């Protein structure tokens, strides 16, 4: 569509100008380089059309890129940028003829027509590329009006096509040169990538889709020269199924220009069916166009490197004693199991946390080598007791964790825990020694599908801790209640540590009375904890925590030195014959403390107390738990001159038959028997205990005496000593000092006038 501006009609701008410019750039035509072939074609055009001048013009936008003119009339050069015909030719897409411009409204006022050189005749044909872009025009002109014969029109078309063919030829030769240059530019990189140190070389013609593999490539995978064809599938079909996608992606990414070269590590199947790891690298060759027509590269055998990488990875992710997955790998697998469970709603899985019972004891008494062997055997047993798909890992020390996948219901997890415990039950024979191993197991079931792996493992751990508290070889299922009580327990533990630092502990004393003399013969030291927020906390509650955390050692030592110091002060203030005694409770955990005897000896020494004034109270279960060392420890205590009481007698194994093997001075009958003494049967038990103790030469103390009836009964049973609320609650040292005085003990130096009895003290 023409636009009229002022006196002349301006030719419209052709569409697709951008495409035209782009197409032109590929021909690289410019005025600076005369193209003889084009000049020749222009000359031919003039000749065929009997025109005084022919003009070949190529332009981009309003910029003329090339002009060739030929013909006799050298004065006819004016047609150029302002050439009014040019745009019309381009738009016409075919031969465009103006027989007499001076009578044509479109051109008559143009200076070329109206003034010099006075153009009258014009015939032009556009130059159209194979892609359909008009690059310019080939035209003939005359200063005389005339017509163009149809054979001349055909000739013009043919010549225009010849011009385009020339240009195409030129473009191709440029591209060829360019790819050579590209190769040269990249020579170093190319050498590195394509011809890498003597490896199997391949060259892929992307246009014919044929690939040449060098003999080294073929032999690398165990093939002979003739066994591999030229189809790319010779390579692709041998790539490990898991690697195919990544290789193809790497090739595509390079061909699309997203990566500077192709590089991929993948497995290729050998002739013998095994796989070989290779590093494959390649470089595509682009023409001046957009698509690559060739790609070449090489392979390097990296099987050894991969194997050592895999070994390293294995080492990093496995425990080196048992070869089981370690915590890192376990957590990874757990995460995946959770992800899977999220997708299939009805699958259930469980995490088992397993801790060997008494492993420290095994290690300490049989040595670390045996300890390691035990761990190894346990690992194998765990492996065999699992189904395929489950995983067992060693988290460290004697801790193992198991993921049970695809369970139908919670019962399956419990069954697995029972199976494991059954599996572990038979003793291990280690160098002729029988070692019994059991494990406490905590089970956490994944019910909500958005559990975190860490949470699950921690829940299983918490449940295991619970199981352990119930004794050996048990399992526990995690539930919220467990979580809460555990948090409270952890809080208690940290408070205990602070309690020690902040001096929140006190020793209270409860008197022990002789029914013969009605005098206080001594005291039991009982620990008290005044918590700043929670107030008074019973030793029954915090001593187990202190034992669990090992803090009992420190606390127990403090109680001992405090009690010794206090007794020494009272003995000095209230001298008597025999002197007052103090009983200090010793926990089973302290019993296994290696330097126990030494610490007790030193503490007594520091207090200046005579060892015979100290009694150590120990329970039956503490003895049983330390059965191997108990006899020796008790013997050593005896040798120091310390006396020994068996506490809470009757609640544990209650087997007097073994008691004579231990150097026990006093039996403390548990208060549960005293409380039930109204029952003839229970009274009979107490009588038997007292009689037996007397036979074995032991004293007997009745604990928890709360009523006068009990006192009367005990007197009748020949039980000499009593302790209980009826006589006094445990009280602090100040109150106890006053009680000692009130009960008739005279302060040192004072004259004893009349022997006093304790009667006045007690209300019964
Ligand atoms: P135990 O050694 O059997 O101490 C006697 C417990 O019975 C004390 O409880 C005492 O207050 C309580 N008792 C005394 N007379 C009566 C009575 O007539 N009726 C009733 N119902 N109870 C009575 P306590 O002080 O709460 O101590 C509880 C346990 O905590 C002790 O039992 C002992 O096993 C342990 N314990 C206390 N202090 C220490 C300590 O310093 N070290 C260690 N390892 N354990 C301690
Ligand atoms: Mg006691
Ligand atoms: Mg007791």
């Amino acid at each position: 569509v023409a636009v009229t501006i002022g006196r002349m009609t301006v030719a419209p701008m052709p569409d697709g100008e951008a495409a035209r410019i782009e197409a032109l750039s590929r021909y690289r035509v410019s005025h600076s380089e005369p193209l003889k072939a084009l000049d020749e074609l222009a000359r031919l055009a003039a000749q065929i059309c009997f025109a005084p001048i022919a003009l070949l013009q190529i332009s981009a936008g309003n910029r003329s890129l090339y002009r060739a003119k030929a013909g006799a009339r050298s004065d006819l050069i004016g047609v150029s940028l302002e050439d009014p015909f040019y745009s019309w030719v381009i738009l016409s897409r075919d031969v465009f003829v103006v027989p007499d411009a001076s009578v044509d409204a479109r051109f008559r006022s143009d200076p070329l027509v109206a003034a010099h050189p006075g153009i009258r005749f014009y015939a032009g044909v556009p130059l159209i590329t194979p892609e359909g872009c008009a690059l310019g025009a080939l035209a003939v002109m005359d200063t005389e009006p005339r017509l163009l014969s149809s054979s001349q029109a055909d000739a013009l078309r043919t010549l225009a096509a010849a011009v385009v063919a020339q240009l195409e030829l030129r473009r191709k030769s440029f591209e060829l040169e360019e790819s050579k240059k590209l190769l040269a530019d990249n020579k170093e990189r190319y050498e590195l990538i394509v011809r890498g140190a003597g490896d199997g070389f391949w060259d892929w013609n992307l246009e014919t889709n044929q690939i040449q593999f060098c003999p080294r490539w073929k032999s690398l995978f165990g093939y002979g020269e003739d066994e591999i064809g030229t189809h790319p599938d010779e390579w692709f079909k041998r790539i490990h199924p898991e690697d195919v996608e990544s290789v193809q992606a790497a090739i595509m990414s390079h061909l699309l220009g997203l990566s500077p070269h192709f590089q991929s590590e993948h497995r290729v199947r050998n002739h013998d069916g095994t796989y070989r790891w290779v590093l494959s690298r390649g470089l595509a060759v682009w023409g001046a166009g957009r698509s690559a027509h060739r790609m070449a590269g090489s392979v390097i055998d990296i099987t050894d490197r991969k194997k050592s990488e895999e070994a390293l990875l294995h080492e990093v992710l496995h425990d080196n004693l048992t070869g089981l997955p370690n915590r890192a790998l376990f957590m990874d697998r757990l995460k995946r199991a959770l992800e899977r469970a999220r997708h299939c709603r009805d699958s259930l899985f469980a995490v088992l946390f397993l801790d060997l019972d008494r492993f420290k004891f095994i290690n300490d008494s049989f040595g670390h080598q045996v300890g390691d062997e035990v761990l190894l055997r346990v690992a194998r047993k765990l492996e065999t007791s699992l189904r395929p798909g489950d995983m067992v890992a060693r988290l460290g020390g004697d801790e193992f964790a198991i993921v049970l996948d695809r369970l139908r219901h919670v019962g399956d997890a419990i069954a697995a825990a029972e199976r494991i415990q059954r599996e572990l039950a038979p003793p291990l024979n280690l160098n002729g020694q029988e070692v019994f191993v059991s494990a406490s197991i905590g089970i956490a079931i994944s019910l909500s599908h958005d559990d975190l792996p860490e949470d699950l493992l921690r829940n299983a751990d918490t449940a295991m801790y619970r199981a352990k508290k119930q004794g050996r070889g048990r399992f526990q299922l995690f539930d919220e209640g467990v979580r809460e009580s555990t948090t409270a327990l952890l809080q208690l533990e940290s408070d205990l540590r602070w309690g020690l630092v902040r001096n929140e502990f006190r020793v209270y004393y409860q008197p022990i009375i002789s029914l013969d003399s009605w005098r206080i013969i001594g005291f039991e030291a009982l620990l008290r904890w005044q918590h700043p927020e929670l107030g008074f906390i019973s030793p029954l509650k915090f001593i187990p925590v202190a034992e669990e955390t090992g803090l009992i050692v420190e606390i127990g030592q403090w109680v001992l030195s405090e009690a010794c110091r206090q007794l020494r002060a009272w003995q000095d203030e209230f001298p008597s014959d025999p002197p007052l005694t103090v009983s200090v409770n010793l926990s089973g955990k302290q019993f296994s403390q290696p330097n126990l005897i030494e610490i007790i000896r030193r503490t007594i020494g520091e207090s200046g107390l005579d060892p015979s004034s100290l009694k150590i109270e120990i329970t039956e279960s503490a003895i049983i738990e330390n059965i191997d060392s108990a006899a020796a420890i008790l013997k050593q205590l005896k040798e120091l001159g310390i006396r020994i009481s068996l506490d809470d007698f009757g609640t544990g194994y209650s087997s007097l038959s073994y008691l004579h093997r231990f150097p026990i001075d006093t039996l403390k009958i548990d208060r549960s028997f005293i409380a039930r003494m109204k029952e003839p049967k229970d009274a009979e038990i107490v009588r038997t205990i007292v009689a037996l103790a007397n036979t074995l030469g032991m004293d007997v103390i009745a604990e928890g005496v709360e009523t006068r009836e009990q006192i009367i009964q005990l007197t009748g049973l020949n039980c000499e000593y009593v302790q209980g609320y009826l006589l006094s609650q445990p009280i602090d040292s100040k109150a106890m000092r006053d009680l000692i005085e009130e009960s008739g003990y005279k302060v040192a130096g004072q004259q004893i006038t009349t022997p006093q009895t304790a009667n006045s003290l007690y209300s019964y």
Side-chain angles (χ1 to χ4, degrees):
V1 187
V3 180
T4 308
I5 300 172
R7 64 183 171 91
M8 65 182 225
T9 307
V10 176
M13 263 306 273
D15 287 338
E17 193 59 18
R20 236 165 58 75
I21 293 172
E22 205 275 331
L24 270 166
S25 71
R26 286 189 275 130
Y27 298 111
R28 300 189 200 191
V29 284
S30 83
H31 291 299
S32 57
E33 188 194 350
L35 300 172
K36 272 192 79 181
L38 299 194
D39 293 350
E40 187 59 24
L41 288 167
R43 200 183 56 75
L44 228 74
Q47 228 171 46
I48 292 167
C49 298
F50 305 111
I53 188 138
L55 188 74
L56 175 84
Q57 186 168 321
I58 298 171
S59 63
N62 55 5
R63 201 158 57 91
S64 160
L65 290 179
Y66 191 82
R67 216 177 314 132
K69 64 181 193 321
R73 296 272 304 270
S74 57
D75 59 317
L76 295 179
I77 49 144
V79 270
S80 65
L81 287 186
E82 285 79 38
D83 173 355
F85 311 103
Y86 185 69
S87 297
W88 292 98
V89 183
I90 300 268
L91 279 173
S92 76
R93 311 290 293 180
D94 196 7
V95 179
F96 175 74
V97 183
V98 181
D100 186 351
S102 68
V103 296
D104 193 315
R106 295 173 294 181
F107 309 108
R108 66 173 176 231
S109 51
D110 189 274
L112 280 178
V113 179
H116 179 80
I119 300 290
R120 303 288 291 276
F121 168 76
Y122 179 93
V125 63
L127 307 173
I128 303 207
T129 67
E131 294 94 42
C133 276
L135 301 174
L138 175 64
V140 289
M141 288 176 252
D142 204 341
T143 44
E144 299 299 321
R146 42 177 280 201
L147 291 170
L148 187 75
S149 73
S150 65
S151 63
Q152 284 172 330
D154 282 346
L156 270 184
R157 285 190 195 98
T158 308
L159 289 171
V163 169
V164 172
Q166 271 298 320
L167 290 174
E168 277 290 305
L169 208 67
R170 188 177 158 80
R171 176 176 71 83
K172 287 227 169 86
S173 79
F174 270 122
E175 285 177 5
L176 202 71
E177 231 161 82
E178 202 152 274
S179 51
K180 276 189 210 150
K181 199 161 141 269
L182 189 84
L183 285 181
D185 280 354
N186 284 319
K187 196 164 188 291
E188 214 175 312
R189 197 156 63 106
Y190 190 81
E191 285 291 295
L192 174 79
I193 293 170
V194 178
R195 299 196 184 275
D199 296 298
F201 177 72
W202 51 268
D203 190 346
W204 186 0
N205 184 330
L206 297 169
E207 275 155 7
T208 62
N209 199 27
Q210 290 211 313
I211 187 164
Q212 304 294 331
F213 299 100
C214 81
R216 174 85 187 89
W217 193 99
K218 298 173 189 173
S219 67
L220 182 64
F221 302 110
Y223 291 96
E225 183 56 39
D226 308 326
E227 287 178 279
I228 299 277
T230 57
H231 196 274
D233 265 356
E234 296 284 3
W235 177 13
F236 291 122
K237 76 178 178 201
R238 291 187 170 86
I239 295 176
H240 195 285
E242 284 172 20
D243 301 342
V244 168
E245 250 173 68
S246 75
V247 176
Q248 281 171 348
I251 291 175
M252 277 320 288
S253 134
H254 178 49
L255 291 179
L256 291 171
L258 301 174
S259 54
H261 59 261
F262 154 71
Q263 175 156 340
S264 160
E265 290 184 0
H266 57 267
R267 285 159 286 182
V268 176
R269 199 174 56 247
N270 291 316
H271 192 253
D272 62 7
T274 59
Y275 281 93
R276 183 176 299 280
W277 272 102
V278 293
L279 166 63
S280 195
R281 287 186 293 194
L283 199 63
V285 179
W286 278 269
R290 272 144 308 254
S291 59
H293 52 77
R294 180 184 160 200
M295 186 162 159
S298 64
V299 289
I300 302 174
D301 181 3
I302 54 164
T303 308
D304 288 345
R305 195 196 83 203
K306 276 283 172 186
K307 275 197 179 134
S308 62
E309 272 176 16
E310 271 164 15
L312 195 72
L313 198 67
H314 188 274
E315 202 170 295
V316 169
L317 293 175
H318 291 78
D319 163 46
N320 52 22
L321 173 65
T322 61
L324 290 180
N326 64 13
R327 182 183 288 267
L329 184 55
F330 180 81
M331 291 313 281
D332 183 67
R333 291 280 289 270
L334 186 52
K335 206 163 84 205
R336 280 181 216 197
L338 272 163
E339 273 158 19
R340 255 200 321 278
R342 216 162 285 148
H343 292 127
C344 58
R345 289 265 143 190
D346 48 23
S347 103
L348 200 68
F349 76 94
V351 174
L352 268 53
F353 196 109
L354 191 143
D355 187 290
L356 298 185
D357 299 319
R358 295 195 322 147
F359 182 69
K360 198 183 151 345
F361 167 77
I362 293 175
N363 241 347
D364 291 349
S365 37
F366 297 105
H368 284 267
Q369 229 169 329
V370 172
D372 283 357
E373 185 62 28
V374 167
L375 290 173
L376 210 64
R377 300 272 193 103
V378 168
R380 295 293 88 83
K381 284 189 175 190
L382 290 177
E383 275 176 333
T384 52
S385 67
L386 297 180
R387 306 162 311 165
D390 295 339
M391 176 173 79
V392 55
R394 180 175 172 220
L395 301 182
D398 60 344
E399 291 176 348
F400 296 86
I402 294 167
V403 198
L404 300 175
D405 213 350
R406 292 179 295 271
L407 301 177
R408 285 159 306 156
H409 40 70
V410 178
D412 287 349
I414 292 174
E418 284 172 339
R419 195 167 60 235
I420 289 167
Q421 279 167 342
R422 260 200 318 277
E423 200 76 40
L424 294 177
L428 300 174
N429 190 319
L430 300 174
N431 310 328
Q433 222 158 10
E434 291 219 316
V435 180
F436 285 86
V437 177
S438 66
S440 300
I441 301 177
I443 306 171
I445 306 280
S446 171
L447 293 170
S448 96
H449 293 284
D450 38 45
D451 285 328
L452 293 174
E454 303 81 42
D455 288 348
L456 269 177
L457 188 64
R458 199 184 43 242
N459 292 350
D461 186 6
T462 302
M464 184 282 294
Y465 185 77
R466 258 284 168 92
K468 195 135 265 197
K469 299 216 88 174
Q470 295 174 336
R472 295 176 199 146
R474 309 284 183 94
F475 65 83
Q476 270 287 315
L477 219 64
F478 176 82
D479 68 71
E480 279 308 303
V482 175
R483 194 209 300 264
E484 270 157 33
S485 68
T486 309
T487 323
L489 215 61
L490 285 175
Q491 184 60 45
L492 199 64
E493 178 191 336
S494 115
D495 286 359
L496 264 179
R497 291 181 196 277
W498 277 109
L500 261 175
V501 176
R502 289 191 297 228
N503 253 322
E504 290 165 6
F505 294 101
R506 297 281 174 275
V507 178
Y508 271 40
Y509 298 91
Q510 189 178 32
I512 297 165
I513 313 288
S514 160
L515 289 182
D516 285 352
S517 65
W518 276 105
R519 283 177 76 99
I520 296 175
I521 59 132
F523 325 91
E524 176 169 7
L526 292 161
L527 186 57
R528 294 292 175 263
W529 181 19
Q530 197 67 39
H531 190 282
E533 284 123 42
L534 304 174
F536 166 77
I537 298 179
S538 163
L540 293 174
K541 199 165 169 194
F542 72 80
I543 291 215
V545 179
E547 286 181 338
E548 197 65 49
T549 57
L551 271 175
I552 190 66
V553 170
E554 216 173 315
I555 294 174
Q557 200 176 318
W558 177 79
V559 172
L560 181 68
S561 73
E562 181 62 21
C564 290
R565 188 196 57 74
Q566 183 60 72
L567 182 68
R568 179 61 213 247
W570 285 336
Q571 283 182 344
D572 286 350
E573 199 179 1
F574 306 106
S576 64
D577 188 22
L580 293 165
T581 63
V582 72
S583 303
V584 175
N585 293 284
L586 203 72
S587 110
K589 281 279 145 59
Q590 287 169 278
F591 233 64
S592 45
Q593 189 189 335
N595 53 352
L596 176 71
I597 300 296
E598 181 50 31
I599 284 171
I600 292 178
R601 201 186 57 74
R602 208 175 48 224
T603 310
I604 299 173
E606 280 165 7
S607 68
L609 196 70
D610 190 294
S612 63
S613 302
L614 176 65
K615 288 185 175 181
I616 293 290
E617 289 197 5
I618 177 151
T619 60
E620 286 181 284
S621 49
I623 292 183
I624 303 292
E625 273 166 34
N626 301 278
I627 196 81
D628 305 317
S629 54
I633 291 174
L634 294 181
K635 187 165 159 264
Q636 283 172 287
L637 287 174
K638 284 297 287 184
E639 281 164 5
L640 286 179
I642 296 166
R643 286 185 279 169
I644 293 158
S645 298
L646 194 63
D647 206 353
D648 302 346
F649 185 78
T651 56
Y653 295 75
S654 306
S655 165
L656 278 174
S657 60
Y658 71 84
L659 281 184
H660 71 273
R661 288 166 44 197
F662 299 102
I664 291 160
D665 302 279
T666 308
L667 277 190
K668 297 188 77 172
I669 304 176
D670 192 72
R671 66 166 184 267
S672 55
F673 293 101
I674 308 304
R676 293 194 305 254
M677 254 191 338
K678 271 197 228 122
E679 299 287 323
K681 205 177 82 204
D682 289 288
E684 202 44 50
I685 292 174
V686 174
R687 180 197 300 281
T688 314
I689 294 173
V690 174
L692 258 169
N694 288 342
T695 318
L696 293 168
M698 298 174 185
D699 290 335
V700 182
I701 301 178
E703 286 189 284
V705 175
E706 293 180 350
T707 66
R708 290 184 225 173
E709 289 74 25
Q710 287 165 353
I711 293 277
I712 294 162
Q713 258 189 299
L714 288 166
T715 313
L717 292 174
N718 257 337
C719 175
E720 190 183 350
Y721 302 101
V722 290
Q723 181 185 346
Y725 290 170
L726 179 71
L727 306 152
S728 171
Q729 297 243 343
I731 49 182
D732 70 17
S733 57
K734 231 168 105 267
M736 184 49 84
R737 188 221 157 267
D738 295 344
L739 187 65
I740 300 169
E741 191 172 27
E742 274 174 58
S743 74
Y745 278 83
K746 282 295 166 218
V747 176
Q750 276 184 4
Q751 190 68 54
I752 300 171
T753 45
T754 44
Q756 299 227 347
T757 67
N759 283 8
S760 60
L761 271 178
Y762 312 113
S763 52
Y764 69 95

